[in-house]
């Protein structure tokens, strides 16, 4: 987002990318079928999300680039090493944070408030949604804001599983509403939208219109996690990088592993040094402004590694808070078998790779009255039904067939196929002092760069929330007339996903109102180094249940507007 915004503003931008170049239009295996892949496309160590997943380099492990965890801490770190990062294969769930989410401490005394409010980001949410293409409904529920009229694309029709869940949830008081995903249900209006998004910028209008004309609407048939060569969903590589390059102002150096940000003797950032991975040689590039967007933890790593006589504890770290208050999303889930979905007639229900409907948090009042035993909410992502069978499609069938085999087993497969559903909670984690990353004093990666060591501990708020999730999902499954797979665990510590496992890590360079208790100001600008900015998830002060990427994009846009303004007035650079 930063490369696009700064490029259309006429600034000369150099993107240093640790991974290789990647162009989904030429190398996306979107039409390959599971049966063409080894083990029917099952996940492996190299490809945890399946053989055809869009990640070309990266995953839970990156060869030659380890990280460590402190004794007693369990943390998993998913990294992408490719142009466009994790946006090439993310779930594309794009929920806005609401008013409460920016001021959580003011509501319940826990964590910290953001220095900005929903109203500050709302115009950027609108513009981001129009730019990338997001489908969704216009429900306006508590702390679940709607977009401005005309911003969202219409949502796809609910599937049978989603309608059935809605019927069960109605009497339970749980709202089931259209989900918001960065997938285009219709083509963008290239004649009017660019002018609306960039009213005073002819260059931006031109490159954006060209890019929008290259994008097609979704045809609802292929797994989005494998990438989208028709550019119907949001990946940085299909939506932001092409128009950024078309400005003529943006260059990309791939395979460039940034080691540190350099400074002059006045404490101003002068550029970055990086390792050219192909030649294993060190290089330095100069810049008037440095923008870090390497993902929340990696940005903290770069800052902590940027040590000098002036900044012995790392750059922008006068508060000592770089790496601190790392957060992930709280996750827990269960599944069940729903007899009402047995023997569903074959029908085309593919749709988006992901939800058409979801359930936003609904218990604000009960929580305020102290009835729940934990402080923050979660939303429910759910699914099931007859998508294209791949590896594991009939997992659990043996439990229902009482030893049948041959023809009887085939009949059972036809009967039960599509009758399983899953429910996953995605909840807010409150930042705490026990969750942070720091440099490991003993370990370096293959480029000689010190690696991160993670510390992690959930509080009771998170584990109780996880227990509430699975209890609720079991009730929904039963209300649907179904049966939960296995036992419903009441101990939240046993069902909560590990730190990092939900891959929504944010925090580490929180923004705030004072350099004493934050790393960045309200513009995601370093308090200590005025020409240094951060445009990934590191500035997050809290981690609402809403998946973070839409907010990262909107915040990045706002930050870039500030950079352009500051350069114009010569306040920086
Ligand atoms: C399977 C999956 C599903 C997800 N689903 C959702 C979802 O539905 N909704 C949602 O909101 N979020 C989702 N996410 C999370 C989402 O992908 C991230 O929030 C988002 O990509 C973060 O963007 P980022 O730019 O901060 O980091 P990244 O996307 O990780 O990009 C960082 C980039 O920086 C590069 N880099 C790293 N270190 C260096 C270095 N030292 N030098 C140079 N370059 C470097 C990397 O190679 C990468 O290209 C999902 C993630 C995964 C993996
Ligand atoms: S389902 Fe739609 S958005 Fe997803 S990969 Fe297929 S065409 Fe692209």
């Amino acid at each position: 987002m930063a490369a696009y915004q700064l490029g259309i503003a006429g600034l000369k931008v150099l993107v240093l990318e640790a991974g290789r170049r990647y162009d989904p239009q030429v190398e996306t295996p979107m039409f390959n079928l599971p049966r063409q892949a080894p083990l029917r496309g099952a996940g492996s160590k190299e490809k945890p999300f399946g053989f055809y997943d869009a990640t070309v380099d990266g995953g839970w492990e990156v060869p030659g680039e380890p990280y460590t965890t402190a004794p007693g801490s369990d943390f998993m770190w998913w990294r992408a090493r490719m142009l466009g990062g994790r946006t090439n294969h993310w779930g594309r769930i794009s929920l806005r944070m609401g008013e409460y989410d920016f001021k959580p401490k003011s509501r319940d005394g826990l964590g910290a408030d953001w220095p900005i409010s929903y109203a500050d980001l709302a115009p950027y949410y609108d513009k981001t949604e129009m730019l990338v293409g997001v489908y969704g409904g216009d429900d306006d529920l508590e702390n679940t804001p709607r977009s401005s009229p005309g911003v969202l694309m219409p949502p796809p029709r609910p599937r049978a599983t989603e309608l059935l869940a809605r019927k069960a949830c109605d009497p339970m008081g749980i709202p089931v509403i259209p989900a918001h995903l960065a997938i285009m249900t219709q083509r963008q209006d290239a004649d009017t939208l660019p002018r609306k998004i960039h009213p005073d910028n002819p260059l931006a209008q031109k490159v954006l219109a060209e890019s929008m004309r290259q994008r097609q609407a979704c045809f609802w048939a292929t797994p989005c996690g494998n990438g989208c060569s028709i550019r119907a969903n949001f990946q940085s590589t299909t939506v932001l990088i092409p128009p950024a390059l078309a400005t003529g102002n943006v260059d990309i150096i791939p395979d460039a592993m940034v080691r540190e940000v350099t400074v002059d003797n006045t404490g101003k950032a002068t550029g970055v040094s990086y390792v050219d991975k192909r030649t294993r040689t060190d290089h330095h590039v100069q810049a008037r402004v440095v923008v870090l967007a390497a993902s929340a933890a990696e940005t903290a790593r770069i800052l902590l590694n940027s040590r000098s006589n002036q900044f012995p504890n790392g750059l922008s770290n006068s508060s000592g808070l770089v790496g601190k208050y790392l957060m992930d999303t709280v996750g827990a889930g269960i599944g069940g078998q729903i007899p009402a979905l047995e023997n569903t007639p074959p029908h085309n229900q593919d749709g988006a790779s992901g939800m058409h409907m979801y359930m936003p948090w609904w218990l604000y009042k009960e929580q305020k009255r102290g009835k729940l035993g934990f402080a923050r909410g979660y939303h429910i992502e759910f699914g099931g039904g007859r998508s294209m069978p791949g590896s594991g499609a009939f997992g659990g069938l043996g439990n229902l067939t009482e030893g049948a085999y041959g023809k009887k087993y085939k009949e059972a497969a036809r009967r039960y196929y599509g009758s399983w559903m899953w429910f996953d909670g995605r909840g807010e984690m409150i930042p705490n002092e026990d969750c942070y990353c720091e440099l490991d004093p003993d370990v370096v990666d293959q480029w000689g760069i010190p690696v991160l060591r993670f510390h992690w501990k959930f509080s009771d708020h998170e584990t109780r929330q996880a227990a509430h999730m699975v209890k609720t999902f079991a009730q929904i499954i039963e209300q649907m007339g179904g049966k939960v797979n296995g036992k419903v665990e009441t101990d939240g510590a046993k069902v909560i996903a590990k730190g990092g496992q939900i891959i929504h890590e944010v925090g580490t360079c929180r923004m705030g109102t004072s350099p004493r208790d934050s790393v960045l100001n309200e513009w995601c600008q370093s308090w200590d180094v005025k020409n240094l900015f951060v445009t990934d998830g590191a500035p997050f002060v809290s981690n609402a249940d809403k998946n973070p990427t839409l907010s990262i994009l909107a915040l990045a846009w706002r930050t870039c507007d500030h950079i352009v303004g500051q350069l114009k007035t010569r306040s920086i650079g």
Side-chain angles (χ1 to χ4, degrees), residues 17-18 78 80 82 85-86 91-93 256 258 298 503 536 547 549:
E17 166 52 57
W78 174 277
M82 63 195 293
R86 293 174 290 182
R92 287 153 183 107
I93 299 167
V258 171
E298 190 78 36
I503 322 181
D536 51 28
N547 318 44
T549 310

Side-chain angles (χ1 to χ4, degrees), residues 29 34 37-56 58 60 78 89 223 225-226 391:
L39 300 173
R40 300 231 157 213
S44 61
K45 198 170 158 206
E46 292 74 27
K47 285 278 193 174
F49 287 110
F51 186 78
Y52 290 122
D53 182 80
T55 316
V56 286
W60 294 115
W78 174 277
H89 63 130
N226 297 358
S391 144

Side-chain angles (χ1 to χ4, degrees), residues 65-68 301 438-440 443-445 449-453:
E65 296 184 25
Y67 61 90
T68 62
R301 181 184 176 206
E438 61 180 354
L439 293 181
D440 188 312
V443 185
V444 295
D445 66 11
I449 305 173
V451 308
L452 284 180
R453 176 166 63 188

Side-chain angles (χ1 to χ4, degrees), residues 356-375:
H356 294 184
M357 308 285 281
Y358 87 116
M359 305 167 195
W361 179 238
W362 67 104
L363 293 172
Y364 288 102
K365 291 185 182 59
E366 290 74 359
Q367 199 154 43
K368 207 162 183 200
R369 289 203 296 269
K371 289 196 155 177
L372 299 185
F374 59 92

Side-chain angles (χ1 to χ4, degrees), residues 28 30-31 92 135 182-184 216-235 350-354:
T28 291
M30 67 192 284
F31 295 107
R92 287 153 183 107
Y135 75 63
I183 295 179
M184 302 203 314
Q216 307 296 318
C218 175
F219 51 61
W220 312 117
T222 46
C224 302
N226 297 358
C228 186
S229 66
I230 63 162
R231 298 165 65 168
N233 64 29
F234 173 71
Q235 303 180 230
D350 279 351
S353 300

Side-chain angles (χ1 to χ4, degrees), residues 72-92:
S73 290
D74 220 350
F75 186 84
M76 301 168 73
W77 191 19
W78 174 277
R79 287 167 292 170
R81 287 280 180 266
M82 63 195 293
L83 190 62
R86 293 174 290 182
T87 67
N88 289 303
H89 63 130
W90 65 309
R92 287 153 183 107

Side-chain angles (χ1 to χ4, degrees), residues 4-20:
Y4 170 74
Q5 293 300 340
L6 299 176
I8 58 168
L11 300 173
K12 294 291 174 200
V13 181
L14 179 64
V15 178
L16 295 171
E17 166 52 57
R20 73 159 168 85

